[in-house]
Amino acid sequence: LKLLIEGHTDNVGDDAANLALSEKRAAAVKAVLEKEHGVASGRLTAKGLGESKPATGNDTPEGRQQNRRGELVKQ
């Protein structure tokens, strides 16, 4: 099984900063899966998507919180 780890952010801040943050978020999840759970690095890919795929609206603090996330996608 190969997985893509997608990092996401809310819409607070500029696009470049959000993209960088989402990339760091995805890389952090990848590192934990490899180091603490023994998942082979060849099975994982990390990608930051910034604010491009919100799970919900960004108009409330709760919505923004839900948009700051990582997701595992089967490849």
Side-chain angles (χ1 to χ4, degrees):
L1 178 66
K2 291 190 177 189
L3 296 171
L4 170 63
I5 304 162
E6 294 180 341
H8 301 273
T9 63
D10 59 24
N11 67 349
V12 176
D14 66 35
D15 291 346
N18 282 338
L19 184 58
L21 178 60
S22 68
E23 289 170 351
K24 288 179 185 177
R25 181 170 284 137
V29 171
K30 183 177 186 278
V32 168
L33 289 173
E34 291 171 353
K35 292 179 184 175
E36 296 182 21
H37 298 283
V39 179
S41 64
R43 295 177 50 204
L44 302 172
T45 304
K47 182 177 183 179
L49 298 173
E51 59 189 79
S52 65
K53 291 176 62 177
T56 189
N58 280 299
D59 51 344
T60 66
E62 294 82 12
R64 288 187 296 275
Q65 184 178 19
Q66 289 181 4
N67 288 328
R68 296 186 297 266
R69 68 194 190 283
E71 293 184 347
L72 299 176
V73 179
K74 183 179 172 184
Q75 292 188 307

